[in-house]
Amino acid sequence: MFKLTYKHERIPLKRTFTISRGSRDAIDVVYVALESEGITGYGEAAPNHRYNETAESVIAVFKSFDTDGIDNPYDSVHVNEYIGSLHKGEYSAKAALEMAFLDWVGKKLKTPVHRLWNAPSTTGPKTSFTIGIDEPSLIAEKVKEAEAFPILKVKLGSPYDREIIEEIRKATSKPVLVDANEGWKTVEVAMENIRFLVDMNIELIEQPMPSSMHAEMTRLKQLSEIPLIADESFTGREDLGELSHAFHGINIKLMKTGSMRFAMQKIAEARKHGLKVMIGCMVETSLADTASAILSLWADYADIDGHLLVGRNPFSGVVIDKNGYVTLNDKYGLGVELAESIFD
Ligand code: MG
């Protein structure tokens, strides 16, 4: 019998974060704790407005969650199916619940989740560090702040994209990925930008065009010299065969797939279709980022910097080592620790 408690927090960001769709100074997260036999498993939801999720909708899921439906917490297939069957959508809440059960099971079995899943190592790829849209004149300073990170991910989709990239390239020769967040609305505009980005030695482009423009993206893939990664075009439920016509890879995020277990299946499926795999994150604390980091042990690229952007982080777990690699610890469960009591 599990006792469920949750806690909503509005967390300030270290810096205002701007992407093509708007700016934010703070984020909402809802933590969930599942306690049984003196052991507590933790999960985190970072609700996404794009998918009509809010802290309130996450809390509604947690309030209505009947833990009696979990007969056997060790049966991850059953846990996953039960959580999935309760609501339409609400993937961030579902991800949090599954995370908490996995954390509990790992702690109960005195085993890290990455060992339960036979991860090839405890070190994932190097993570990129995200630079949001900003005045071109401030970019050099932001590159300096990101000195410790070997790969930069730059948000585009502003009227001064080229100035931003030129400023980045004046400041550093590091590998740079760009994320247009659906900002380019025609193949012609996208190709003009891509030609420029080829000259600027950009490694990858995430979501150049709107997710509704699959046909245009398919044309773009034929033309682009830079690999294209689906983010908004991949929420977890799309046909990966179809997606492989329009993209070279997919960005899997726990808050979109709603489940670590399901995300693992998607990694395997992506491989069958020749798709590269990036594990991304939302702006979230070390709790959800540690769960994402576990998935990254099987991925080509990691973009797990959410916990580095938040101004408050009650959890510790994943560490980015001095060379920028995503590094897991050997603590039981997900490998997170809560520094203070946050559940009333
Ligand atoms: Mg993205």
Side-chain angles (χ1 to χ4, degrees), residues 153 155 179 181 206 231-232 251 253:
K153 172 161 150 180
K155 293 286 194 178
D179 188 352
N181 284 112
E206 208 175 293
D231 185 1
E232 286 84 346
N251 184 343
K253 293 176 181 170

Side-chain angles (χ1 to χ4, degrees), residues 278-291:
M278 173 186 283
I279 301 297
C281 63
M282 300 298 177
V283 182
E284 57 201 20
T285 75
S286 288
L287 171 50
D289 268 9
T290 302

